[in-house]
Amino acid sequence: MSERRSLRGARILLCVTGSIAAYKAVSLLRALTRDGAEVSVVMTPSATRFVTPLTFETLSGRPVRHGLFDGAETMPHLRATDEADLVLVAPATANCLAKCALGVADDLVSTLLLAARCPIVMTPAMDGDMWEHPALVSHVRAMRERGVVVLEPEDGPLASGLIGKGRFPAEPTVMEAVAACLDRRRDWAGQRVLVSAGPTREPIDAVRFVTNASSGKMGYAVADAAARRGADVVLVSGPTALAPPTGVTTVDVLTADEMAREMEARFAWATVLVMTAAVGDFRPRRPSSVKIKKHDWDGAPLALERTPDILASLSRKRTHQILVGFAAESDNLLDNGRKKLRQKDLDFIVINRVTGADSALGGDTSDAIFLPRHGQAMPVERLPKRLLADRLLDTVRDQCLTHPSAPALESNREIRRIH
Ligand code: CTP
């Protein structure tokens, strides 16, 4: 087994669910804290039947929650997951895996699994027949597709007296998986990422404007993912209804011209540009500064002119930046995306369908085609945008940032810092 780095400073939320293997979470808690992690424990009510909260409280030095309505805090699940670098469910029962796969939130553990935006590692422990049941197999597959790390249980004697696959994975395996997940979370350290998001809004008069259906969700997800993975991030955002991601400098703009100005001002600083914004291509040629009276309307204010192509213009000024563009298409997705990649001289393009039931515009989920400049097109299945953002960062990291002309990721420096 390769040498693992220490977990010093990592904030881990350990969720204990109701399996006989709950006693193994006690030893795991010891190992995590010995390795420098700050561990908070949450239990399901049935887990408290196997091991008392007092055991975990004593060993973690922190209060243990096990009820959704415990204590004075109204939203414990949101605060707990916001403060965690990683959620570790150990042991994870069949019931817990099924609830997590389906998004059921009927106790504190399942609710915070739904609220978690950090990586989740699950260590199943159950009877072999349960692990092999088709329902569980499909739940585990669904979770893995969403990016949840579900470890394989081990073969051997089970609490039922039978021999089979279902044993809580060995402690070093769990520790290794936790460390690997945390490593990935700092893999963008040292990068300066400039992200644009949302629509732009071009005035017709003092109260009316031309815009599009972009929600900004994809750009906000990319900004959030990059920041959580250690990058310095500036997000230049058109008008959206979204809260700015934590740890990201957000600059609000309205028009394409304003967005162009703010992006240009920060382009030299950036090492990676992710141009997610649905920049309006047209604007009213002569917007009115007052509200136009309807009896004065002659259609003239809707004469449109082109806005600047921000990405194409930044691409011409590039010195060292990696450029990631998006292509919003209704047909011939791959051909049109490939053309944009070439015309705007990009390193990578994300191609989205923006018409029909599959439209990427506005929704919480999207599929996509990833097309790197040097490499094959990669279709990506429909995912929540936050997970699609992580997948994008994984792929850009592998395809572009390790390219000889690209600025090197500084994850090694980060690893040394944590040691
Ligand atoms: N883009 C931009 N400035 C514009 C228009 C688009 O920077 N005025 C960027 C988008 O943010 C995206 C990429 O260019 O990263 C492609 O945008 P898209 O809307 O798909 O295509 P267009 O270049 O506008 O071309 P068309 O409308 O003809 O498809």
Side-chain angles (χ1 to χ4, degrees):
M1 195 172 287
S2 59
E3 200 178 312
R4 189 171 56 67
R5 74 175 164 99
S6 119
L7 301 178
R8 190 172 325 141
R11 294 162 306 174
I12 296 175
L13 189 61
L14 174 62
C15 300
V16 185
T17 69
S19 149
I20 181 66
Y23 75 93
K24 296 191 179 174
V26 176
S27 156
L28 187 59
L29 167 61
R30 297 278 286 173
L32 291 166
T33 51
R34 238 191 338 262
D35 223 20
E38 295 165 18
V39 187
S40 303
V41 180
V42 174
M43 304 174 77
T44 58
S46 35
T48 64
R49 308 281 290 268
F50 289 95
V51 181
T52 67
L54 184 61
T55 309
F56 289 109
E57 242 160 45
T58 310
L59 294 175
S60 68
R62 292 155 201 261
V64 169
R65 288 183 172 279
H66 45 88
L68 248 184
F69 304 103
D70 289 351
E73 222 177 324
T74 44
M75 308 286 246
H77 55 294
L78 298 184
R79 216 166 76 85
T81 49
D82 248 17
E83 289 173 355
D85 297 312
L86 180 132
V87 175
L88 172 61
V89 188
T93 58
N95 184 42
C96 169
L97 289 164
K99 286 202 287 189
C100 180
L102 296 172
V104 174
D106 65 351
D107 59 26
L108 184 54
V109 168
S110 54
T111 304
L112 64 81
L113 286 173
L114 202 56
R117 291 190 305 156
C118 57
I120 300 174
V121 177
M122 295 205 145
T123 56
M126 66 197 71
D127 203 52
D129 289 343
M130 293 166 83
W131 175 250
E132 277 159 20
H133 192 286
L136 205 77
V137 169
S138 85
H139 290 325
V140 169
R141 189 184 314 119
M143 274 189 290
R144 286 179 174 157
E145 280 169 5
R146 271 189 245 144
V148 175
V149 176
V150 185
L151 299 180
E152 284 292 310
E154 296 191 347
D155 267 318
L158 302 167
S160 58
L162 299 171
I163 307 247
K165 189 167 185 180
R167 282 170 65 82
F168 188 85
E171 198 169 283
T173 309
V174 181
M175 297 291 284
E176 188 77 24
V178 166
C181 259
L182 289 166
D183 270 0
R184 174 176 178 253
R185 301 312 291 180
R186 303 298 300 171
D187 61 353
W188 276 67
Q191 295 295 332
R192 295 184 297 277
V193 183
L194 179 58
V195 184
S196 70
T200 53
R201 180 186 282 184
E202 306 294 340
I204 301 168
D205 69 8
V207 295
R208 304 174 179 103
F209 50 82
V210 177
T211 188
N212 60 60
S214 166
S215 63
K217 286 174 188 164
M218 192 62 218
Y220 277 57
V222 170
D224 183 54
R228 282 179 177 253
R229 291 169 70 159
D232 288 329
V233 184
V234 173
L235 171 66
V236 176
S237 172
T240 73
L242 305 172
T246 319
V248 168
T249 305
T250 305
V251 180
D252 291 321
V253 297
L254 285 177
T255 64
D257 264 352
E258 285 171 28
M259 183 172 279
R261 211 170 30 246
E262 296 297 342
M263 298 296 286
E264 301 233 344
R266 290 164 176 84
F267 188 56
W269 163 86
T271 56
V272 179
L273 170 72
V274 187
M275 194 73 199
T276 317
V279 186
D281 288 319
F282 308 101
R283 67 182 161 214
R285 195 190 297 274
R286 270 185 290 278
S288 163
S289 58
V290 295
K291 183 183 172 219
I292 300 169
K293 289 288 179 197
K294 59 175 169 286
H295 54 260
D296 293 338
W297 180 256
D298 59 4
L302 272 186
L304 301 175
E305 64 182 9
R306 290 277 302 273
T307 57
D309 188 319
I310 303 172
L311 182 54
S313 133
L314 292 176
S315 173
R316 287 191 292 273
K317 294 178 188 150
R318 108 151 78 183
T319 48
H320 57 281
Q321 296 84 353
I322 297 294
L323 303 188
V324 180
F326 275 64
E329 304 297 341
S330 34
D331 46 43
N332 293 331
L333 269 62
L334 192 51
D335 282 352
N336 287 335
R338 209 185 290 281
K339 253 185 236 150
K340 278 180 194 165
L341 178 111
R342 251 188 264 117
Q343 280 164 358
K344 304 199 190 198
D345 193 18
L346 308 177
D347 299 287
F348 195 100
I349 198 158
V350 178
I351 308 168
N352 286 136
R353 184 182 296 282
V354 290
T355 47
D358 292 347
S359 173
L361 276 185
D364 291 330
T365 62
S366 175
D367 52 13
I369 302 172
F370 288 173
L371 181 64
R373 181 190 192 122
H374 308 284
Q376 297 286 318
M378 290 167 256
V380 181
E381 73 277 17
R382 178 163 293 275
L383 290 171
K385 286 183 174 170
R386 183 57 179 75
L387 293 175
L388 188 61
D390 264 327
R391 189 76 71 83
L392 174 63
L393 295 184
D394 289 347
T395 316
V396 169
R397 178 199 60 204
D398 295 346
Q399 298 280 331
C400 306
L401 298 181
T402 50
H403 195 266
S405 63
L409 276 170
E410 298 191 2
S411 50
N412 290 342
R413 181 197 295 173
E414 190 60 21
I415 288 168
R416 278 198 293 279
R417 193 178 66 71
I418 287 173
H419 260 301

